[in-house]
Amino acid sequence: MEKTLKRNRGQHDSLSDKIVRYRGVLLVIALPLLLITFLLFLSRSPSDSVGSLNRKFSPNFGSNKYAVIFDAGSSGSRVHVFCFDQNLDLVPIGNNLELFHQLKPGLSAYPTDPEAAANSIKPLLEKAEAVVPQPLHPNTPVRVGATAGLRQLEGDAPDRILQAVRDFLKSKSSLKSQPDWVTVLDGSQEGAYEWVTINYLLGNLGKEYSETVGVVDLGGGSVQMAYAISESDAQKAPKLSDPEDKYVQEMYLKGRKYYLYVHSYLHYGLLAARAEILKVTENSGNPCILAGYSGSYKYGGAIYSASPLPYGSNMKSCRDVSIMALKVNESICTSMKCTFGGVWNGGGGDGQRNLFVASFFFDRAAEVGFINATAAPVAKVRPADFESAARDACETGLEDAKSKYTSVSADNLPYLCMDLVYQFTLLVDGFGIDPQQEITLVKQVEYQNSFVEAAWPLGSALEVVS
């Protein structure tokens, strides 16, 4: 009976009785826990609580990165603003996948006034800064890439203009700038960036080189060709006199190595080529000038006579002069196969099979109406289409052309026959493209249900944020 009573009491012990009874066990468990908690408290940064408040009430821009790229071309200045996520996919800025604005003239229009050249980009800079979130300004790179227009200025004019732009960005902009981010792009850089841009937008990067597209970019001062080639063709590339100048660049993109053939032809952009064509006939009449025009053409600080022959412009004669300007038959080709001017053509191959042709090619085609630019910023054509359009233009006098080609500006109209003939000659005689081969004229490329400018600045932006 006594044993039963003790067992019943034990069943009804209070919580305090249990704590007293097992206090030794509890102390063994609790002391290490208390020690760990104390050490964790000491290791906390005193600013943690403040930081957590700041994070709670500060705007969160995630891992997005912005880049501001100025394209300082011969025909004008343009600004591109891009935003990338952590996977380097483009993120919309407002309703578009980039901010794009342009103005004329370009930096090269101020050869004797560097400060005026730098100040000319101020309206574009203000538009760019307005779309980049203020807290991200200090970490957002701004690059200025000058192209052929500035390359062709004489003396120290290019260096003085570039330094004025560096000083302008340092004093007037809250974006991140570095001296070596304001440069004259060499033609190879421009062509490589253009190739990266178009293949990035098409989703080709990371695929076999044979699945990429080649690019021809006709600017105002120069024209670039770039396309991926096989490793075996890359090993056949001729050595150039300047060891820093190469026909082939090795690029690692999306986990794949590419051998990129790229070459830039200075003096053979559309505006520069006019000067080269006029040089052939010097002070006599030129068969590429529309009848009814008599004047002069100014380019790169020089002035050229621009008068037609008595019978006006002529398609065949203009083509003969264009071939002479390209020096197709005059230069010695020391490689297995050349384009023009004795330049190696890269060997051809699958990377050149699908060709995207940009800039002035698209513009002139749209202006004369053999593509509909309002329907889409991309169109499939053939080089022969430029020949057909050139034939029509060359048979038209200046007065009739004013009513026939209403989309062509007044300052370009006298040279319409010349421009179209040159574009056909460049593709067929210069680059050796079959007149009936299908090519893609492109101004913008569709990407994620939006259209993005098919221009080199996106390639530069991808490099600077990577």
Side-chain angles (χ1 to χ4, degrees):
M1 183 181 223
E2 184 178 351
K3 290 181 181 180
T4 303
L5 180 60
K6 286 181 179 180
R7 188 167 54 247
N8 290 341
R9 282 178 183 170
Q11 290 175 349
H12 297 285
D13 281 349
S14 66
L15 179 60
S16 59
D17 291 335
K18 290 179 179 179
I19 291 174
V20 171
R21 180 179 302 165
Y22 299 109
R23 60 184 179 276
V25 177
L26 291 173
L27 284 173
V28 171
I29 296 172
L31 282 175
L33 291 174
L34 289 170
L35 180 60
I36 291 170
T37 304
F38 180 67
L39 290 173
L40 289 173
F41 176 79
L42 289 178
S43 66
R44 284 189 65 194
S45 167
S47 61
D48 275 356
S49 58
V50 176
S52 63
L53 286 175
N54 287 340
R55 285 192 294 272
K56 183 176 179 180
F57 294 105
S58 295
N60 179 17
F61 301 104
S63 56
N64 289 352
K65 297 179 180 179
Y66 286 78
V68 176
I69 310 294
F70 281 89
D71 174 5
S74 58
S75 58
S77 294
R78 310 159 193 92
V79 68
H80 301 252
V81 183
F82 304 101
C83 181
F84 301 93
D85 65 16
Q86 60 186 354
N87 298 317
L88 289 186
D89 291 327
L90 282 173
V91 176
I93 300 175
N95 295 324
N96 301 301
L97 280 174
E98 69 171 324
L99 174 81
F100 173 72
H101 288 286
Q102 59 184 330
L103 54 76
K104 296 182 179 182
L107 297 181
S108 57
Y110 307 91
T112 61
D113 194 347
E115 285 71 27
N119 286 326
S120 71
I121 67 171
K122 183 179 179 181
L124 299 179
L125 178 65
E126 291 174 344
K127 292 180 182 296
E129 290 182 332
V131 300
V132 178
Q134 189 70 36
L136 299 185
H137 279 205
N139 294 319
T140 295
V142 54
R143 276 185 168 184
V144 179
T147 54
L150 212 59
R151 285 199 292 265
Q152 294 187 118
L153 293 183
E154 296 180 352
D156 65 350
D159 293 332
R160 293 172 64 229
I161 289 175
L162 291 176
Q163 188 56 51
V165 173
R166 293 184 189 107
D167 295 340
F168 172 79
L169 292 175
K170 185 176 180 180
S171 61
K172 302 294 184 182
S173 177
S174 56
L175 302 176
K176 181 180 180 180
S177 64
Q178 294 182 7
D180 60 350
W181 287 353
V182 180
T183 61
V184 175
L185 290 183
D186 65 51
S188 295
Q189 285 177 298
E190 190 177 347
Y193 285 150
E194 178 79 6
W195 182 87
V196 171
T197 291
I198 291 180
N199 281 282
Y200 168 88
L201 293 172
L202 292 172
N204 293 338
L205 297 185
K207 297 179 180 179
E208 291 284 345
Y209 87 93
S210 57
E211 297 184 63
T212 63
V213 303
V215 173
V216 175
D217 184 25
L218 181 63
S222 62
V223 59
Q224 289 80 37
M225 172 175 273
Y227 65 95
I229 62 177
S230 67
E231 184 176 2
S232 60
D233 279 339
Q235 292 173 349
K236 300 173 186 174
K239 304 294 183 185
L240 296 172
S241 55
D242 184 350
E244 300 227 347
D245 194 8
K246 299 178 181 178
Y247 277 122
V248 179
Q249 296 185 24
E250 295 182 9
M251 306 182 75
Y252 293 87
L253 299 162
K254 292 281 184 101
R256 187 175 292 275
K257 184 176 184 178
Y258 293 99
Y259 296 92
L260 186 65
Y261 165 81
V262 57
H263 190 78
S264 178
Y265 301 79
L266 190 59
H267 307 302
Y268 290 103
L270 189 68
L271 305 183
R274 289 178 183 174
E276 299 299 316
I277 291 170
L278 291 171
K279 283 180 190 177
V280 173
T281 56
E282 294 186 347
N283 294 320
S284 61
N286 189 287
C288 302
I289 302 295
L290 295 191
Y293 178 79
S294 181
S296 59
Y297 180 67
K298 184 176 180 181
Y299 185 80
I303 299 176
Y304 306 89
S305 173
S307 298
L309 293 170
Y311 55 81
S313 52
N314 176 270
M315 164 80 183
K316 183 179 182 305
S317 299
C318 182
R319 187 161 180 225
D320 291 340
V321 172
S322 297
I323 289 174
M324 293 174 66
L326 283 173
K327 300 180 175 62
V328 172
N329 301 318
E330 297 177 24
S331 300
I332 298 174
C333 180
T334 58
S335 306
M336 291 181 65
K337 190 174 181 182
C338 293
T339 52
F340 59 95
V343 174
W344 182 55
N345 78 338
D350 291 340
Q352 191 189 29
R353 186 179 65 250
N354 192 357
L355 206 58
F356 275 56
V357 180
S359 299
F360 272 119
F361 280 110
F362 184 95
D363 295 341
R364 285 293 176 274
E367 288 167 354
V368 300
F370 73 81
I371 66 169
N372 184 357
T374 58
V378 61
K380 299 283 187 181
V381 302
R382 292 175 171 79
D385 294 325
F386 283 94
E387 181 184 32
S388 178
R391 185 174 289 106
D392 289 343
C394 294
E395 293 174 354
T396 307
L398 183 61
E399 285 304 313
D400 290 338
K402 290 178 181 177
S403 56
K404 183 175 181 179
Y405 300 107
T406 56
S407 296
V408 180
S409 64
D411 55 338
N412 287 326
L413 204 53
Y415 307 100
L416 188 59
C417 167
M418 179 185 291
D419 289 352
L420 292 166
V421 168
Y422 173 68
Q423 289 176 320
F424 173 70
T425 305
L426 176 64
L427 291 171
V428 174
D429 300 281
F431 292 134
I433 300 170
D434 188 282
Q436 297 302 322
Q437 178 181 329
E438 188 175 76
I439 60 177
T440 302
L441 295 186
V442 60
K443 186 174 183 64
Q444 296 177 315
V445 178
E446 187 172 6
Y447 177 91
Q448 296 181 359
N449 299 318
S450 295
F451 285 95
V452 180
E453 289 291 315
W456 66 262
L458 176 55
S460 177
L462 284 163
E463 179 186 64
V464 77
V465 302
S466 295

